[in-house]
Amino acid sequence: MTSGSKNLIFAADLGGTHLRAAMVDERGQIHFRSKQNTPQGSDPNAIVAAVVNAVHEYKKEFGAAADGLKAVSVVVPGTVNVGEGTVVKAPNLPCLDGFPLTAALTSELGVPAFLENDANAAAVGEMWQGAARGCRTIICVTLGTGVGGGIILNGELWRGVDGAAAEIGHMCVDPFGGVACTCGSRGCLEVFASATAIVRMTREASPRYPDSVLHASKTLTAESIFAAGLEGDELALEIFRRMGVYLGIGLANLINILNPEMIVIGGGVVNGWDLFAKHTMQQVEERAFPLLAARVKIERAKCGDDAGLLGAARLAIANRS
Ligand SMILES: [Zn+2]
C-alpha cells in the first residue's frame, strides 16, 4: 500500500461474465484487484452482494489502510441513469434493468456510490491514464463482444439527453447488407467490427476459401482468426480487411461530425490491429474531410482491461471534488 493515499475509490466493472474490481487512488494507481464470475439469475441483490464481498475482501487485505475508501464506482454494459444511479437497460445483465444500484451499494457500504456505462468509463480512463492523456476531445471505440463507444467533448463526457449517447456500434454502415443487429436495426457497425462479427463473417465466407487453415478449427474465435491472418491465411486476411473497412467508414463519419483530436480503439479485437488498421486508415483518408483526417490521431488503447475501472474511479473523484 502506498502511504498517504486518502482518496481511494473502489471501482467495479460488471461484465456479463466477470465482475472485475480494483481499488484506485487519486493518481490512477491500482492497489488491489479481484475477479469473480458475475452472479447469473434474476436477483439483482446477488450482484450487489458480489460487489460488497469484493470490498470486504479488499478491507481484509488492507486493514486500517482501507479506511481511506471514499466511494464505490460501478460500470455496467448498458444504459444507465447517472443522476438517479439506476440501470435503465443492460442486455447482458437483465436482472439489473430498472434497479437502483447506487442506493443499494450505499446502504450496504456506507459510502457514496456512482454508476456509469462501461464504454463511457473506458473513454474517461483512456483520457486520464491512457492513449489520450492531454487531449480534450476524443472518441473511444471498444471492439469486444459488441462495439461500445464513448465521446468526450472539451473534457466533458457526452452522455446525451437520456444518458444513451455514443452508441457508436449501432451506427449503420451498410443498409443493404441486411445483417440483423441485437438492437433491432440492421447493418450496424457492431455486426461487422465486433469479435462476434469476425467469427460470423469468417464462417459465411469460408466456402469461398477451400484452402484456409480455419476450416480445421473446431472453435473459431477472433483470436484464432487473427493468428491465422498473421500466418498469411487469405480468409482471415479478407475478414480483417472487411472489418477494417467498415470500421473506417464509421470513424470517417464520426470525424466529420465531431472533429476530434484523437480516436482511441480498444477492446479485445484491437489485438488484430496489424491486420485491420491500414484498411481503417485508408477509409478515413478517402472519406473524412482532409483537414480533419490530417488532424485526428487514431491510436490503440493503452489501459487494456483497466480502462473502465480507471474511468469509473476518475468519474467518482470528479464527482466528489
Ligand atoms: Zn445495432
Side-chain angles (χ1 to χ4, degrees):
M1 184 72 211
T2 313
S3 61
S5 290
K6 294 282 180 232
N7 213 354
L8 304 176
I9 308 294
F10 195 87
D13 188 341
L14 260 175
T17 313
H18 292 119
L19 191 179
R20 295 168 52 255
M23 212 291 301
V24 185
D25 71 18
E26 72 275 13
R27 290 163 305 169
Q29 302 283 316
I30 291 177
H31 299 282
F32 167 87
R33 290 173 185 278
S34 79
K35 183 177 174 182
Q36 56 185 304
N37 290 331
T38 304
Q40 306 294 324
S42 57
D43 183 8
N45 290 306
I47 289 178
V48 174
V51 176
V52 170
N53 280 343
V55 173
H56 287 159
E57 221 180 286
Y58 154 67
K59 286 187 169 173
K60 213 165 121 189
E61 192 171 325
F62 283 84
D67 292 345
L69 181 65
K70 291 290 189 287
V72 177
S73 192
V74 181
V75 301
V76 299
T79 309
V80 302
N81 183 324
V82 171
E84 292 178 6
T86 54
V87 176
V88 177
K89 193 154 185 59
N92 292 320
L93 297 166
C95 73
L96 288 178
D97 289 357
F99 185 71
L101 188 57
T102 61
L105 287 168
T106 295
S107 107
E108 289 288 327
L109 294 165
V111 291
F114 299 94
L115 180 62
E116 188 52 79
N117 164 270
D118 58 355
N120 281 353
V124 173
E126 286 292 335
M127 197 160 93
W128 188 33
Q129 296 291 330
R133 268 182 180 208
C135 293
R136 300 273 300 157
T137 294
I138 69 156
I139 298 166
C140 185
V141 186
T142 306
L143 306 172
T145 311
V147 173
I151 295 173
I152 299 175
L153 304 175
N154 257 336
E156 290 283 324
L157 188 57
W158 178 252
R159 295 190 176 95
V161 182
D162 294 306
E167 285 294 351
I168 289 167
H170 301 284
M171 160 173 37
C172 183
V173 291
D174 184 0
F176 302 111
V179 184
C181 182
T182 51
C183 73
S185 183
R186 307 183 91 80
C188 297
L189 180 59
E190 181 165 299
V191 298
F192 300 108
S194 62
T196 321
I198 287 166
V199 171
R200 189 203 74 247
M201 292 192 294
T202 302
R203 286 218 175 90
E204 285 169 358
S206 70
R208 299 199 299 276
Y209 294 85
D211 299 330
S212 171
V213 297
L214 294 167
H215 288 293
S217 170
K218 285 205 175 67
T219 49
L220 275 183
T221 62
E223 294 81 55
S224 67
I225 298 162
F226 171 62
L230 286 181
E231 298 294 318
D233 184 83
E234 289 196 6
L235 170 57
L237 291 174
E238 169 61 9
I239 297 309
F240 275 96
R241 185 189 70 80
R242 290 175 63 95
M243 175 260 164
V245 167
Y246 282 114
L247 179 62
I249 292 171
L251 297 191
N253 291 337
L254 290 165
I255 290 165
N256 283 346
I257 296 167
L258 294 172
N259 187 194
E261 289 171 271
M262 185 178 284
I263 296 177
V264 180
I265 303 176
V269 176
V270 84
N271 291 330
W273 180 270
D274 291 346
L275 300 185
F276 73 76
K278 55 183 179 286
H279 304 294
T280 302
M281 306 301 183
Q282 192 185 345
Q283 291 301 312
V284 167
E285 210 168 291
E286 286 178 15
R287 294 174 190 274
F289 280 24
L291 182 74
L292 281 57
R295 175 71 151 85
V296 68
K297 295 190 190 86
I298 301 177
E299 296 199 1
R300 288 178 74 149
K302 286 195 177 143
C303 297
D305 284 347
D306 291 338
L309 292 168
L310 289 166
R314 182 73 190 93
L315 287 162
I317 292 167
N319 255 292
R320 286 176 39 77
S321 53

